[in-house]
mmCIF file of all heavy atoms in Angstrom:
data_model
loop_
_atom_site.group_PDB
_atom_site.id
_atom_site.type_symbol
_atom_site.label_atom_id
_atom_site.label_comp_id
_atom_site.label_asym_id
_atom_site.label_seq_id
_atom_site.Cartn_x
_atom_site.Cartn_y
_atom_site.Cartn_z
ATOM 1 N N ALA A 17 141.975 45.795 156.108
ATOM 2 C CA ALA A 17 142.161 44.390 155.956
ATOM 3 C C ALA A 17 142.182 43.649 157.248
ATOM 4 O O ALA A 17 142.498 42.431 157.273
ATOM 5 C CB ALA A 17 143.406 44.089 155.118
ATOM 6 N N HIS A 18 141.898 44.347 158.316
ATOM 7 C CA HIS A 18 141.997 43.697 159.706
ATOM 8 C C HIS A 18 141.142 42.430 159.772
ATOM 9 O O HIS A 18 141.550 41.414 160.181
ATOM 10 C CB HIS A 18 141.617 44.679 160.759
ATOM 11 C CG HIS A 18 141.696 44.151 162.108
ATOM 12 N ND1 HIS A 18 142.894 43.830 162.732
ATOM 13 C CD2 HIS A 18 140.742 43.852 163.010
ATOM 14 C CE1 HIS A 18 142.631 43.363 163.956
ATOM 15 N NE2 HIS A 18 141.310 43.375 164.087
ATOM 16 N N GLN A 19 139.838 42.560 159.392
ATOM 17 C CA GLN A 19 138.994 41.418 159.480
ATOM 18 C C GLN A 19 139.482 40.246 158.610
ATOM 19 O O GLN A 19 139.383 39.060 159.008
ATOM 20 C CB GLN A 19 137.519 41.792 159.107
ATOM 21 C CG GLN A 19 136.505 40.714 159.422
ATOM 22 C CD GLN A 19 136.581 40.287 160.878
ATOM 23 O OE1 GLN A 19 136.524 41.121 161.777
ATOM 24 N NE2 GLN A 19 136.636 38.949 161.118
ATOM 25 N N ARG A 20 139.953 40.529 157.411
ATOM 26 C CA ARG A 20 140.492 39.488 156.546
ATOM 27 C C ARG A 20 141.697 38.799 157.176
ATOM 28 O O ARG A 20 141.880 37.582 157.120
ATOM 29 C CB ARG A 20 140.879 40.018 155.217
ATOM 30 C CG ARG A 20 139.646 40.360 154.353
ATOM 31 C CD ARG A 20 140.025 40.742 152.918
ATOM 32 N NE ARG A 20 140.934 41.877 152.941
ATOM 33 C CZ ARG A 20 141.650 42.234 151.962
ATOM 34 N NH1 ARG A 20 141.571 41.604 150.787
ATOM 35 N NH2 ARG A 20 142.436 43.342 152.052
ATOM 36 N N ALA A 21 142.560 39.571 157.874
ATOM 37 C CA ALA A 21 143.709 38.968 158.528
ATOM 38 C C ALA A 21 143.264 38.063 159.706
ATOM 39 O O ALA A 21 143.848 36.994 159.926
ATOM 40 C CB ALA A 21 144.674 40.067 159.040
ATOM 41 N N LEU A 22 142.263 38.519 160.424
ATOM 42 C CA LEU A 22 141.717 37.684 161.497
ATOM 43 C C LEU A 22 141.132 36.412 160.994
ATOM 44 O O LEU A 22 141.358 35.287 161.551
ATOM 45 C CB LEU A 22 140.637 38.452 162.293
ATOM 46 C CG LEU A 22 141.153 39.609 163.178
ATOM 47 C CD1 LEU A 22 139.985 40.304 163.806
ATOM 48 C CD2 LEU A 22 142.114 39.091 164.217
ATOM 49 N N THR A 23 140.416 36.474 159.914
ATOM 50 C CA THR A 23 139.764 35.319 159.289
ATOM 51 C C THR A 23 140.863 34.336 158.782
ATOM 52 O O THR A 23 140.791 33.156 159.012
ATOM 53 C CB THR A 23 138.837 35.691 158.167
ATOM 54 O OG1 THR A 23 137.814 36.559 158.640
ATOM 55 C CG2 THR A 23 138.204 34.518 157.479
ATOM 56 N N PHE A 24 141.870 34.894 158.105
ATOM 57 C CA PHE A 24 142.976 34.084 157.574
ATOM 58 C C PHE A 24 143.630 33.341 158.763
ATOM 59 O O PHE A 24 143.920 32.135 158.665
ATOM 60 C CB PHE A 24 143.981 34.972 156.897
ATOM 61 C CG PHE A 24 145.207 34.299 156.410
ATOM 62 C CD1 PHE A 24 145.270 33.618 155.233
ATOM 63 C CD2 PHE A 24 146.384 34.313 157.179
ATOM 64 C CE1 PHE A 24 146.360 32.943 154.796
ATOM 65 C CE2 PHE A 24 147.519 33.685 156.752
ATOM 66 C CZ PHE A 24 147.557 32.992 155.547
ATOM 67 N N THR A 25 143.913 34.039 159.879
ATOM 68 C CA THR A 25 144.513 33.425 161.046
ATOM 69 C C THR A 25 143.663 32.330 161.603
ATOM 70 O O THR A 25 144.214 31.243 161.916
ATOM 71 C CB THR A 25 144.819 34.513 162.126
ATOM 72 O OG1 THR A 25 145.622 35.553 161.531
ATOM 73 C CG2 THR A 25 145.495 33.946 163.344
ATOM 74 N N ASP A 26 142.383 32.563 161.723
ATOM 75 C CA ASP A 26 141.469 31.553 162.269
ATOM 76 C C ASP A 26 141.418 30.293 161.351
ATOM 77 O O ASP A 26 141.397 29.187 161.866
ATOM 78 C CB ASP A 26 140.091 32.128 162.507
ATOM 79 C CG ASP A 26 139.983 33.076 163.626
ATOM 80 O OD1 ASP A 26 140.940 33.084 164.499
ATOM 81 O OD2 ASP A 26 139.015 33.879 163.668
ATOM 82 N N GLU A 27 141.341 30.492 160.110
ATOM 83 C CA GLU A 27 141.206 29.427 159.161
ATOM 84 C C GLU A 27 142.473 28.523 159.104
ATOM 85 O O GLU A 27 142.334 27.372 158.703
ATOM 86 C CB GLU A 27 140.890 29.937 157.773
ATOM 87 C CG GLU A 27 139.505 30.543 157.644
ATOM 88 C CD GLU A 27 139.269 31.172 156.257
ATOM 89 O OE1 GLU A 27 140.271 31.338 155.489
ATOM 90 O OE2 GLU A 27 138.119 31.574 156.019
ATOM 91 N N ARG A 28 143.583 29.116 159.389
ATOM 92 C CA ARG A 28 144.858 28.316 159.324
ATOM 93 C C ARG A 28 145.530 28.323 160.644
ATOM 94 O O ARG A 28 146.723 28.275 160.756
ATOM 95 C CB ARG A 28 145.723 29.019 158.281
ATOM 96 C CG ARG A 28 145.103 28.880 156.895
ATOM 97 C CD ARG A 28 145.691 29.916 155.936
ATOM 98 N NE ARG A 28 145.134 29.672 154.591
ATOM 99 C CZ ARG A 28 144.008 30.169 154.174
ATOM 100 N NH1 ARG A 28 143.198 30.862 154.960
ATOM 101 N NH2 ARG A 28 143.651 29.987 152.915
ATOM 102 N N ALA A 29 144.742 28.112 161.682
ATOM 103 C CA ALA A 29 145.297 28.143 163.091
ATOM 104 C C ALA A 29 146.310 27.117 163.393
ATOM 105 O O ALA A 29 147.184 27.294 164.188
ATOM 106 C CB ALA A 29 144.150 28.098 164.059
ATOM 107 N N THR A 30 146.272 25.963 162.701
ATOM 108 C CA THR A 30 147.216 24.892 162.969
ATOM 109 C C THR A 30 148.437 24.990 162.113
ATOM 110 O O THR A 30 149.404 24.185 162.295
ATOM 111 C CB THR A 30 146.516 23.537 162.756
ATOM 112 O OG1 THR A 30 146.081 23.429 161.378
ATOM 113 C CG2 THR A 30 145.340 23.374 163.712
ATOM 114 N N SER A 31 148.508 25.870 161.178
ATOM 115 C CA SER A 31 149.672 25.959 160.287
ATOM 116 C C SER A 31 150.724 26.859 160.909
ATOM 117 O O SER A 31 150.402 27.939 161.424
ATOM 118 C CB SER A 31 149.270 26.564 158.901
ATOM 119 O OG SER A 31 148.354 25.705 158.316
ATOM 120 N N PRO A 32 152.022 26.454 160.846
ATOM 121 C CA PRO A 32 153.060 27.360 161.325
ATOM 122 C C PRO A 32 153.208 28.598 160.444
ATOM 123 O O PRO A 32 153.020 28.527 159.261
ATOM 124 C CB PRO A 32 154.280 26.501 161.279
ATOM 125 C CG PRO A 32 153.979 25.204 160.629
ATOM 126 C CD PRO A 32 152.495 25.220 160.401
ATOM 127 N N ILE A 33 153.471 29.712 161.128
ATOM 128 C CA ILE A 33 153.605 30.979 160.333
ATOM 129 C C ILE A 33 155.124 31.327 160.293
ATOM 130 O O ILE A 33 155.799 31.264 161.290
ATOM 131 C CB ILE A 33 152.864 32.146 161.058
ATOM 132 C CG1 ILE A 33 151.343 31.827 160.934
ATOM 133 C CG2 ILE A 33 153.176 33.461 160.404
ATOM 134 C CD1 ILE A 33 150.476 32.860 161.616
ATOM 135 N N VAL A 34 155.595 31.668 159.137
ATOM 136 C CA VAL A 34 156.955 32.016 158.891
ATOM 137 C C VAL A 34 157.065 33.431 158.357
ATOM 138 O O VAL A 34 156.250 33.868 157.583
ATOM 139 C CB VAL A 34 157.610 31.041 157.836
ATOM 140 C CG1 VAL A 34 159.032 31.405 157.590
ATOM 141 C CG2 VAL A 34 157.489 29.609 158.362
ATOM 142 N N THR A 35 157.989 34.228 158.818
ATOM 143 C CA THR A 35 158.291 35.555 158.321
ATOM 144 C C THR A 35 159.744 35.810 158.322
ATOM 145 O O THR A 35 160.507 34.888 158.594
ATOM 146 C CB THR A 35 157.458 36.619 159.103
ATOM 147 O OG1 THR A 35 157.381 37.828 158.374
ATOM 148 C CG2 THR A 35 158.052 36.823 160.485
ATOM 149 N N THR A 36 160.206 36.972 157.957
ATOM 150 C CA THR A 36 161.627 37.302 157.906
ATOM 151 C C THR A 36 161.878 38.505 158.833
ATOM 152 O O THR A 36 160.977 39.245 159.186
ATOM 153 C CB THR A 36 162.073 37.611 156.459
ATOM 154 O OG1 THR A 36 161.402 38.852 156.060
ATOM 155 C CG2 THR A 36 161.754 36.494 155.539
ATOM 156 N N ASP A 37 163.188 38.665 159.123
ATOM 157 C CA ASP A 37 163.561 39.812 159.880
ATOM 158 C C ASP A 37 163.254 41.130 159.144
ATOM 159 O O ASP A 37 162.867 42.124 159.721
ATOM 160 C CB ASP A 37 165.088 39.838 160.164
ATOM 161 C CG ASP A 37 165.450 38.771 161.157
ATOM 162 O OD1 ASP A 37 164.561 38.292 161.915
ATOM 163 O OD2 ASP A 37 166.672 38.389 161.255
ATOM 164 N N GLU A 38 163.354 41.119 157.794
ATOM 165 C CA GLU A 38 163.028 42.265 157.005
ATOM 166 C C GLU A 38 161.541 42.637 157.142
ATOM 167 O O GLU A 38 161.257 43.857 157.220
ATOM 168 C CB GLU A 38 163.419 42.063 155.501
ATOM 169 C CG GLU A 38 164.869 42.031 155.253
ATOM 170 C CD GLU A 38 165.563 40.705 155.602
ATOM 171 O OE1 GLU A 38 164.793 39.674 155.990
ATOM 172 O OE2 GLU A 38 166.771 40.595 155.537
ATOM 173 N N VAL A 39 160.710 41.707 157.132
ATOM 174 C CA VAL A 39 159.263 41.954 157.314
ATOM 175 C C VAL A 39 159.017 42.518 158.706
ATOM 176 O O VAL A 39 158.264 43.542 158.850
ATOM 177 C CB VAL A 39 158.483 40.656 157.131
ATOM 178 C CG1 VAL A 39 157.051 40.814 157.570
ATOM 179 C CG2 VAL A 39 158.497 40.252 155.647
ATOM 180 N N LEU A 40 159.640 42.005 159.701
ATOM 181 C CA LEU A 40 159.468 42.555 161.066
ATOM 182 C C LEU A 40 160.038 43.998 161.188
ATOM 183 O O LEU A 40 159.485 44.814 161.905
ATOM 184 C CB LEU A 40 160.057 41.601 162.103
ATOM 185 C CG LEU A 40 159.416 40.235 162.199
ATOM 186 C CD1 LEU A 40 160.178 39.325 163.181
ATOM 187 C CD2 LEU A 40 157.999 40.358 162.525
ATOM 188 N N THR A 41 161.109 44.210 160.456
ATOM 189 C CA THR A 41 161.684 45.588 160.467
ATOM 190 C C THR A 41 160.703 46.537 159.842
ATOM 191 O O THR A 41 160.494 47.706 160.308
ATOM 192 C CB THR A 41 163.052 45.578 159.719
ATOM 193 O OG1 THR A 41 163.939 44.769 160.367
ATOM 194 C CG2 THR A 41 163.612 47.004 159.620
ATOM 195 N N GLU A 42 160.110 46.185 158.684
ATOM 196 C CA GLU A 42 159.094 47.049 158.059
ATOM 197 C C GLU A 42 157.896 47.264 158.952
ATOM 198 O O GLU A 42 157.349 48.384 159.042
ATOM 199 C CB GLU A 42 158.610 46.410 156.757
ATOM 200 C CG GLU A 42 159.635 46.433 155.633
ATOM 201 C CD GLU A 42 159.123 45.700 154.414
ATOM 202 O OE1 GLU A 42 158.108 44.971 154.418
ATOM 203 O OE2 GLU A 42 159.797 45.780 153.370
ATOM 204 N N TYR A 43 157.470 46.223 159.690
ATOM 205 C CA TYR A 43 156.371 46.325 160.596
ATOM 206 C C TYR A 43 156.703 47.336 161.706
ATOM 207 O O TYR A 43 155.872 48.253 162.064
ATOM 208 C CB TYR A 43 156.104 44.911 161.197
ATOM 209 C CG TYR A 43 155.109 44.863 162.355
ATOM 210 C CD1 TYR A 43 153.757 44.839 162.180
ATOM 211 C CD2 TYR A 43 155.613 44.796 163.662
ATOM 212 C CE1 TYR A 43 152.883 44.685 163.174
ATOM 213 C CE2 TYR A 43 154.710 44.636 164.721
ATOM 214 C CZ TYR A 43 153.332 44.644 164.454
ATOM 215 O OH TYR A 43 152.503 44.569 165.513
ATOM 216 N N LEU A 44 157.899 47.206 162.361
ATOM 217 C CA LEU A 44 158.310 48.195 163.339
ATOM 218 C C LEU A 44 158.377 49.573 162.795
ATOM 219 O O LEU A 44 158.009 50.532 163.512
ATOM 220 C CB LEU A 44 159.628 47.699 163.957
ATOM 221 C CG LEU A 44 159.564 46.428 164.799
ATOM 222 C CD1 LEU A 44 160.971 45.993 165.162
ATOM 223 C CD2 LEU A 44 158.714 46.622 166.001
ATOM 224 N N THR A 45 158.892 49.750 161.582
ATOM 225 C CA THR A 45 159.017 51.070 160.997
ATOM 226 C C THR A 45 157.629 51.690 160.803
ATOM 227 O O THR A 45 157.403 52.886 161.108
ATOM 228 C CB THR A 45 159.739 50.956 159.630
ATOM 229 O OG1 THR A 45 161.089 50.471 159.923
ATOM 230 C CG2 THR A 45 159.830 52.311 158.941
ATOM 231 N N PHE A 46 156.655 50.864 160.365
ATOM 232 C CA PHE A 46 155.340 51.353 160.163
ATOM 233 C C PHE A 46 154.725 51.917 161.489
ATOM 234 O O PHE A 46 154.127 52.982 161.511
ATOM 235 C CB PHE A 46 154.418 50.222 159.662
ATOM 236 C CG PHE A 46 152.999 50.614 159.419
ATOM 237 C CD1 PHE A 46 152.628 51.221 158.275
ATOM 238 C CD2 PHE A 46 152.028 50.419 160.370
ATOM 239 C CE1 PHE A 46 151.259 51.595 158.068
ATOM 240 C CE2 PHE A 46 150.699 50.793 160.176
ATOM 241 C CZ PHE A 46 150.322 51.410 159.041
ATOM 242 N N PHE A 47 154.907 51.203 162.587
ATOM 243 C CA PHE A 47 154.394 51.632 163.833
ATOM 244 C C PHE A 47 155.240 52.575 164.650
ATOM 245 O O PHE A 47 154.911 52.957 165.772
ATOM 246 C CB PHE A 47 154.003 50.412 164.731
ATOM 247 C CG PHE A 47 152.744 49.677 164.230
ATOM 248 C CD1 PHE A 47 152.863 48.453 163.661
ATOM 249 C CD2 PHE A 47 151.509 50.291 164.339
ATOM 250 C CE1 PHE A 47 151.692 47.805 163.186
ATOM 251 C CE2 PHE A 47 150.341 49.668 163.904
ATOM 252 C CZ PHE A 47 150.500 48.421 163.331
ATOM 253 N N SER A 48 156.446 52.880 164.172
ATOM 254 C CA SER A 48 157.458 53.671 164.963
ATOM 255 C C SER A 48 156.969 55.037 165.318
ATOM 256 O O SER A 48 157.435 55.616 166.324
ATOM 257 C CB SER A 48 158.764 53.759 164.153
ATOM 258 O OG SER A 48 158.639 54.519 163.045
ATOM 259 N N THR A 49 156.026 55.653 164.647
ATOM 260 C CA THR A 49 155.604 57.024 164.945
ATOM 261 C C THR A 49 154.162 56.978 165.436
ATOM 262 O O THR A 49 153.530 58.053 165.461
ATOM 263 C CB THR A 49 155.733 57.951 163.728
ATOM 264 O OG1 THR A 49 154.953 57.428 162.633
ATOM 265 C CG2 THR A 49 157.150 58.084 163.279
ATOM 266 N N THR A 50 153.624 55.878 165.837
ATOM 267 C CA THR A 50 152.265 55.786 166.359
ATOM 268 C C THR A 50 152.264 55.516 167.821
ATOM 269 O O THR A 50 153.298 55.180 168.412
ATOM 270 C CB THR A 50 151.532 54.661 165.628
ATOM 271 O OG1 THR A 50 152.020 53.369 166.149
ATOM 272 C CG2 THR A 50 151.663 54.668 164.105
ATOM 273 N N PRO A 51 151.096 55.732 168.433
ATOM 274 C CA PRO A 51 150.964 55.385 169.832
ATOM 275 C C PRO A 51 151.211 53.925 170.178
ATOM 276 O O PRO A 51 151.405 53.578 171.361
ATOM 277 C CB PRO A 51 149.533 55.814 170.216
ATOM 278 C CG PRO A 51 149.106 56.737 169.167
ATOM 279 C CD PRO A 51 149.883 56.348 167.917
ATOM 280 N N PHE A 52 151.208 53.076 169.184
ATOM 281 C CA PHE A 52 151.306 51.648 169.355
ATOM 282 C C PHE A 52 152.771 51.128 169.219
ATOM 283 O O PHE A 52 153.048 49.988 169.088
ATOM 284 C CB PHE A 52 150.474 50.890 168.298
ATOM 285 C CG PHE A 52 149.038 51.255 168.412
ATOM 286 C CD1 PHE A 52 148.435 52.021 167.451
ATOM 287 C CD2 PHE A 52 148.190 50.911 169.497
ATOM 288 C CE1 PHE A 52 147.100 52.425 167.511
ATOM 289 C CE2 PHE A 52 146.911 51.258 169.594
ATOM 290 C CZ PHE A 52 146.301 52.037 168.599
ATOM 291 N N ARG A 53 153.736 52.099 169.255
ATOM 292 C CA ARG A 53 155.144 51.757 169.031
ATOM 293 C C ARG A 53 155.586 50.685 170.060
ATOM 294 O O ARG A 53 156.200 49.737 169.636
ATOM 295 C CB ARG A 53 155.944 53.027 169.156
ATOM 296 C CG ARG A 53 157.369 52.859 169.066
ATOM 297 C CD ARG A 53 158.091 54.190 169.225
ATOM 298 N NE ARG A 53 159.547 53.971 169.126
ATOM 299 C CZ ARG A 53 160.379 54.959 169.185
ATOM 300 N NH1 ARG A 53 159.992 56.234 169.215
ATOM 301 N NH2 ARG A 53 161.692 54.684 169.134
ATOM 302 N N ARG A 54 155.306 50.946 171.356
ATOM 303 C CA ARG A 54 155.767 50.030 172.383
ATOM 304 C C ARG A 54 155.106 48.632 172.171
ATOM 305 O O ARG A 54 155.812 47.606 172.331
ATOM 306 C CB ARG A 54 155.472 50.517 173.754
ATOM 307 C CG ARG A 54 155.902 49.644 174.911
ATOM 308 C CD ARG A 54 155.631 50.181 176.308
ATOM 309 N NE ARG A 54 156.225 51.506 176.445
ATOM 310 C CZ ARG A 54 157.470 51.713 176.871
ATOM 311 N NH1 ARG A 54 158.254 50.707 177.221
ATOM 312 N NH2 ARG A 54 157.916 52.952 177.051
ATOM 313 N N GLU A 55 153.831 48.602 171.891
ATOM 314 C CA GLU A 55 153.191 47.351 171.728
ATOM 315 C C GLU A 55 153.718 46.563 170.510
ATOM 316 O O GLU A 55 153.840 45.316 170.590
ATOM 317 C CB GLU A 55 151.627 47.519 171.569
ATOM 318 C CG GLU A 55 150.942 47.957 172.817
ATOM 319 C CD GLU A 55 150.991 49.494 173.021
ATOM 320 O OE1 GLU A 55 151.723 50.158 172.296
ATOM 321 O OE2 GLU A 55 150.308 49.933 173.931
ATOM 322 N N ALA A 56 153.995 47.241 169.479
ATOM 323 C CA ALA A 56 154.597 46.628 168.270
ATOM 324 C C ALA A 56 155.929 45.991 168.584
ATOM 325 O O ALA A 56 156.249 44.888 168.227
ATOM 326 C CB ALA A 56 154.754 47.657 167.169
ATOM 327 N N ALA A 57 156.792 46.761 169.308
ATOM 328 C CA ALA A 57 158.104 46.190 169.703
ATOM 329 C C ALA A 57 157.973 45.041 170.626
ATOM 330 O O ALA A 57 158.711 44.076 170.474
ATOM 331 C CB ALA A 57 158.920 47.313 170.301
ATOM 332 N N GLU A 58 157.109 45.095 171.569
ATOM 333 C CA GLU A 58 156.895 44.044 172.497
ATOM 334 C C GLU A 58 156.428 42.763 171.755
ATOM 335 O O GLU A 58 156.827 41.625 172.053
ATOM 336 C CB GLU A 58 155.942 44.378 173.607
ATOM 337 C CG GLU A 58 156.538 45.339 174.581
ATOM 338 C CD GLU A 58 155.514 45.921 175.564
ATOM 339 O OE1 GLU A 58 154.285 45.617 175.476
ATOM 340 O OE2 GLU A 58 155.967 46.704 176.463
ATOM 341 N N GLY A 59 155.525 42.935 170.752
ATOM 342 C CA GLY A 59 155.029 41.843 169.964
ATOM 343 C C GLY A 59 156.149 41.158 169.171
ATOM 344 O O GLY A 59 156.205 39.920 169.086
ATOM 345 N N VAL A 60 157.017 41.942 168.581
ATOM 346 C CA VAL A 60 158.149 41.351 167.804
ATOM 347 C C VAL A 60 159.101 40.681 168.786
ATOM 348 O O VAL A 60 159.600 39.573 168.418
ATOM 349 C CB VAL A 60 158.833 42.449 166.985
ATOM 350 C CG1 VAL A 60 160.146 41.942 166.434
ATOM 351 C CG2 VAL A 60 157.908 42.940 165.872
ATOM 352 N N ASN A 61 159.388 41.277 169.885
ATOM 353 C CA ASN A 61 160.344 40.649 170.851
ATOM 354 C C ASN A 61 159.749 39.302 171.353
ATOM 355 O O ASN A 61 160.513 38.403 171.679
ATOM 356 C CB ASN A 61 160.622 41.576 172.002
ATOM 357 C CG ASN A 61 161.594 42.644 171.621
ATOM 358 O OD1 ASN A 61 162.468 42.420 170.734
ATOM 359 N ND2 ASN A 61 161.457 43.766 172.243
#
C-alpha cells in the first residue's frame, strides 16, 4: 500500500494529520525487529 499512502499524502497535503499515541506505539512495535528500528523511532520523536 506504499504507493497509495504516498498518493493520499500528496492529495491532502494541506490537511492537518492527526493520530494517537496508541497508533504510534503500534507503528514502533511493527518496526522494532527490523533494520528500520532507529529510523522509525527518530520519525516518531
Side-chain angles (χ1 to χ4, degrees):
H18 180 71
Q19 189 56 50
R20 289 187 300 166
L22 290 175
T23 301
F24 176 83
T25 302
D26 289 343
E27 290 174 351
R28 292 158 178 88
T30 60
S31 299
I33 294 176
V34 178
T35 198
T36 65
D37 288 342
E38 289 80 6
V39 167
L40 296 177
T41 299
E42 289 176 348
Y43 171 83
L44 289 172
T45 300
F46 179 85
F47 285 110
S48 68
T49 60
T50 71
F52 304 108
R53 178 179 176 176
R54 181 179 303 272
E55 290 85 352
E58 289 171 354
V60 169
N61 283 332

